[in-house]
């Protein structure tokens, strides 16, 4: 009804191809076409990082098809719940606004930290060097920024799940039925009042274990094939 499968797969293909093209551009694969970048020590690590991210999305799409299809089915049901509960349509807007605020704060801190570095000329390019305390503060700034985004994501998932449970157990799938008024705000209040510590800890755990869980999920999917080799 809402083409969740097409949207999810199109998004994953777009992310994968976009990251791989950006990686190829940073690594100088388009020099023959006239796209030449100024030399910088950050081109190689940036290109390798984007190549890894694009390859991960491609592996997920190709090797975890069952998991992707199951996620699409869940998204289809969630779309049904959202479209029949107008209050939930405001949740993505609230989450986006919070992420914009947090991104502004995080990037502001990153730029302030970069302004504290010493600029030095190295191999014809300008390099920025930091002392050990400055490097540690920069690392913590980046980690805390990612952690805050994970907390916002976890809170939005809790709110959506709380509202979806109310919708399901009040026969929301029947046409004409919907959630009680202010259900989303009640879910946000319950999350902050009773589950905020769990959500903050869960955001950190998910962030720290995501890079480990993803390759393990790919390995598990390979073992379920008829001939993994």
């Amino acid at each position: 009804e809402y083409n969740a499968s097409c949207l999810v797969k199109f998004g994953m293909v777009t992310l994968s191809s976009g990251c791989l093209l950006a990686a190829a551009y940073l690594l100088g694969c388009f020099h023959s076409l006239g796209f030449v970048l100024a030399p910088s020590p950050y081109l190689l690590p940036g290109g390798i990082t984007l190549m890894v991210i694009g390859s991960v999305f491609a592996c997920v799409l190709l090797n975890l098809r069952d998991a992707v299809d199951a996620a699409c089915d869940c998204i289809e049901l969630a779309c049904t719940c959202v479209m029949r509960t107008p209050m939930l349509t405001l949740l993505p807007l609230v989450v986006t606004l919070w992420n914009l605020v947090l991104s502004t704060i995080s990037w502001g801190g990153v730029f302030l930290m970069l302004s504290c570095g010493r600029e030095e000329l190295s191999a014809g390019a300008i390099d920025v060097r930091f002392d050990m305390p400055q490097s540690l503060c920069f690392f913590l700034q980046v980690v805390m920024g990612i952690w805050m985004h994970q907390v916002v994501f976890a809170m939005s998932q809790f709110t959506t799940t709380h509202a979806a449970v109310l919708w399901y157990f009040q026969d929301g799938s029947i046409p004409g039925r919907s959630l009680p008024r202010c259900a989303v705000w009640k879910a946000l209040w319950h999350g902050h009042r009773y589950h905020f510590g769990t959500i903050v800890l869960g955001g950190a755990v998910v962030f720290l274990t995501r890079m480990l869980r993803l390759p393990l999920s790919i390995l598990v999917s390979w073992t379920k094939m008829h001939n993994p080799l």
Side-chain angles (χ1 to χ4, degrees), residues 9 21 53 67 71 84 90 94 102 108 120 158 164 184 197 220 224:
K9 293 177 180 178
L21 286 174
I53 293 175
R84 293 182 181 177
L90 295 176
V94 175
L102 294 177
E120 297 180 0
F158 173 83
V184 173
V220 170
K224 293 181 179 179

Side-chain angles (χ1 to χ4, degrees), residues 28 91 95 110 173 189 200 220:
L91 187 61
V95 173
V110 169
S173 58
W189 164 250
V200 171
V220 170

Side-chain angles (χ1 to χ4, degrees), residues 1-2 76-92 159-187:
E1 183 180 358
Y2 300 103
E76 189 78 23
L77 292 175
C79 291
T80 304
C81 174
V82 169
M83 297 307 295
R84 293 182 181 177
T85 309
M87 190 66 181
L88 279 176
T89 58
L90 295 176
L91 187 61
T159 303
T160 304
T161 303
H162 190 282
V165 168
L166 292 177
W167 171 79
Y168 179 81
F169 284 104
Q170 293 188 9
D171 297 327
S173 58
I174 300 176
R177 297 288 184 89
S178 61
L179 286 174
R181 292 182 178 179
C182 300
V184 173
W185 306 119
K186 291 179 181 178

Side-chain angles (χ1 to χ4, degrees), residues 12-36:
M12 296 187 70
V13 169
T14 303
L15 284 172
S16 177
S17 58
C19 290
L20 292 176
L21 286 174
Y25 176 70
L26 292 178
L27 295 176
C29 297
F30 298 145
H31 283 178
S32 60
L33 301 178
F35 298 100
V36 181

